[in-house]
Amino acid sequence: MKADLKGLDTREIEAWAVRLGLEAYRGRQIRHWLLGRLADSFEEMTDIPKSIRVLLEDNANISHLEQVKALVSTDGTRKYLFKLNDGHFIESVLIPERDHWTLCISSQAGCAMDCRFCLTARQGLKRDLEASEIIEQVIQIKRSMDNGGRVTNIVFMGMGEPLANYDAVVKAIRNLVSEDGLNFSHRKITLSTCGLVPRMTKLGKDITVNLAISLNAADDKTRSFLMPINSRYPLKTLLSACRDFPLPNRRMITFEYILIKGVNDRDEDALKLVSLLKGLRAKINLIPLNPLPGLDMSPSSMESILNFQGILLKNHFTAIIRKSKGADILAACGQLSGAISESES
Ligand code: SAH
């Protein structure tokens, strides 16, 4: 089988080059063309001798995702639908901020975590993505941008639970931050998890990355109702892993908290959240629930959202109300489901 080069880390691509009879540095050179310079063919790698390029053609694939559709929201958010080689779909969302672009990428086709409020959950897990498929979302979207591909931040907040696809996600992050790879600062990459505690602990040891936790409730009963994973790793275990997580300098853990009317938005919920997060370097993102078809829950009123935020602020937490972008094209948090478009492709 031909090698899929975009998923290889520095050492692997060097070893691969050596196996082909080349010098190790050729591996790094190829990697820099693919990831750093977004090359789409061996042809373009003009500082590599023609004879070697032919050898590469014969022994490696430059993998692609098939872009099925790109939608643009009235707020400038762009959603990309990609088809994988085996016919599954994933989505990525490019979000304009005041002075930068954030790219939200998927780590799995579908998801097994079964959170009640999330559309991706409804399709179940189709499969894990390969590291190259994770990286490829970034490469293809950068290539399609008219500002020269200046994606500033990457968030693993698309489809799937990144820590359930640990090896591929860690490998992808290594290629994103590597100097001869995509050369992102690890400060610009955020991994969001529903709370797979043992893997959070391992992640902190393996790489440096910002961490976001989808918390969504401040007591076990409510959280287990919303997110079944909480029965396995309840709040006490989760928060203790957060306290032990080695954060990059002066960074905070982000806690995402969807506000759902009558479920988790009362004063007492905010107060519970305050005591849960006491002493943690925490930033709280408050997200009004994005409604989904058939979901028997609705977003909190703006009044209760402001009230909830007020309690957090009074207790010296950073708490930001995040209006999800791209709702008109189903690109907002929790609305990603490649399945919707399957009939159109
Ligand atoms: N599995 C990871 C990555 C997905 S991130 C995780 O759980 O963190 C998706 C984010 O969107 C999560 O913070 C989740 O809480 C949020 N989300 C999911 N459904 C939502 C909805 N209907 N409205 C608002 N936010 C939602």
Side-chain angles (χ1 to χ4, degrees):
M1 208 172 80
K2 290 188 175 186
D4 182 5
L5 300 179
K6 286 178 196 166
L8 304 184
D9 63 26
T10 308
R11 228 176 301 150
E12 288 168 338
I13 200 160
E14 284 178 353
W16 177 80
V18 169
R19 277 202 302 280
L20 273 188
L22 304 172
E23 290 176 83
Y25 82 92
R26 290 286 183 205
R28 290 197 305 278
Q29 199 177 9
I30 295 163
R31 189 155 175 273
H32 181 60
W33 269 108
L34 290 173
L35 305 182
R37 303 175 74 166
L38 311 179
D40 207 14
S41 67
F42 293 115
E43 196 75 32
E44 291 166 57
M45 305 181 182
T46 42
D47 54 359
I48 297 178
K50 177 91 180 139
S51 57
I52 296 184
R53 278 187 267 151
V54 171
L55 183 72
L56 296 176
E57 296 276 3
D58 290 343
N59 288 281
N61 270 331
I62 298 188
S63 58
H64 288 107
L65 298 172
E66 183 189 334
Q67 187 180 309
V68 180
K69 202 156 64 174
L71 295 173
V72 184
S73 156
T74 49
D75 63 25
T77 301
R78 301 184 201 174
K79 182 169 85 160
Y80 300 80
L81 175 71
F82 294 109
K83 190 175 184 177
L84 307 176
N85 285 339
D86 56 1
H88 293 306
F89 291 86
I90 54 164
E91 293 181 318
S92 325
V93 182
L94 184 62
I95 305 152
E97 317 268 1
R98 206 172 316 147
D99 51 359
H100 63 272
W101 289 91
T102 294
L103 178 58
C104 174
I105 57 176
S106 293
S107 56
Q108 299 179 306
C111 186
M113 295 298 120
D114 212 18
C115 298
R116 187 174 278 264
F117 43 76
C118 178
L119 195 58
T120 308
R122 293 192 188 168
Q123 55 183 289
L125 178 64
K126 306 287 191 198
R127 72 163 168 87
D128 286 336
L129 297 190
E130 307 279 343
S132 62
E133 292 166 329
I134 298 173
I135 295 280
E136 191 55 24
Q137 298 168 60
V138 183
I139 292 179
Q140 292 208 8
I141 290 170
K142 270 171 80 76
R143 223 189 259 133
S144 76
M145 288 169 76
D146 42 26
N147 70 352
R150 273 206 307 281
V151 172
T152 18
N153 297 56
I154 304 268
V155 294
F156 282 81
M157 297 187 185
M159 295 166 72
E161 166 50 48
L163 294 185
N165 183 15
Y166 188 88
D167 291 345
V169 165
V170 166
K171 203 171 227 190
I173 293 176
R174 289 201 168 118
N175 279 357
L176 287 171
V177 301
S178 146
E179 270 178 40
D180 56 26
L182 281 132
N183 202 17
F184 280 91
S185 157
H186 53 69
R187 302 173 73 91
K188 300 290 185 191
I189 300 184
T190 301
L191 184 149
S192 177
T193 178
C194 62
L196 298 184
V197 169
R199 299 232 169 126
M200 279 168 55
T201 306
K202 181 164 164 48
L203 183 76
K205 293 192 181 123
D206 287 347
I207 52 174
T208 306
V209 68
N210 296 312
L211 187 67
I213 306 286
S214 298
L215 194 63
N216 299 331
D219 66 83
D220 280 318
K221 186 156 170 271
T222 313
R223 192 163 193 271
S224 297
F225 167 74
L226 294 172
M227 305 174 68
I229 191 67
N230 192 70
S231 314
R232 185 132 46 109
Y233 304 114
L235 284 167
K236 192 159 176 272
T237 318
L238 176 60
L239 269 298
S240 140
C242 289
R243 282 173 212 285
D244 292 342
F245 192 82
L247 286 172
N249 252 352
R250 287 181 284 116
R251 287 272 139 160
M252 298 191 251
I253 295 187
T254 302
F255 289 90
E256 296 152 286
Y257 194 102
I258 306 179
L259 282 160
I260 310 173
K261 184 181 272 173
V263 173
N264 64 358
D265 63 349
R266 294 157 304 177
D267 286 10
E268 59 186 90
D269 297 309
L271 291 168
K272 275 189 224 163
L273 185 56
V274 165
S275 60
L276 199 63
L277 300 184
K278 194 151 268 162
L280 256 167
R281 294 217 305 268
K283 178 176 109 182
I284 303 149
N285 280 345
L286 299 171
I287 315 167
L289 176 77
N290 291 308
L292 308 180
L295 183 65
D296 56 350
M297 297 188 277
S298 48
S300 309
S301 66
M302 199 26 95
E303 193 190 343
S304 12
I305 294 174
L306 288 170
N307 176 56
F308 197 96
Q309 181 192 33
I311 295 174
L312 299 177
L313 294 178
K314 213 162 40 201
N315 285 278
H316 314 295
F317 280 103
T318 308
I320 299 161
I321 300 172
R322 289 254 169 193
K323 189 94 189 68
S324 293
K325 293 197 172 154
D328 56 337
I329 53 166
L330 282 180
C333 299
Q335 296 187 323
L336 298 186
S337 151
I340 285 181
S341 315
E342 277 183 35
S343 60
E344 298 171 33
S345 60

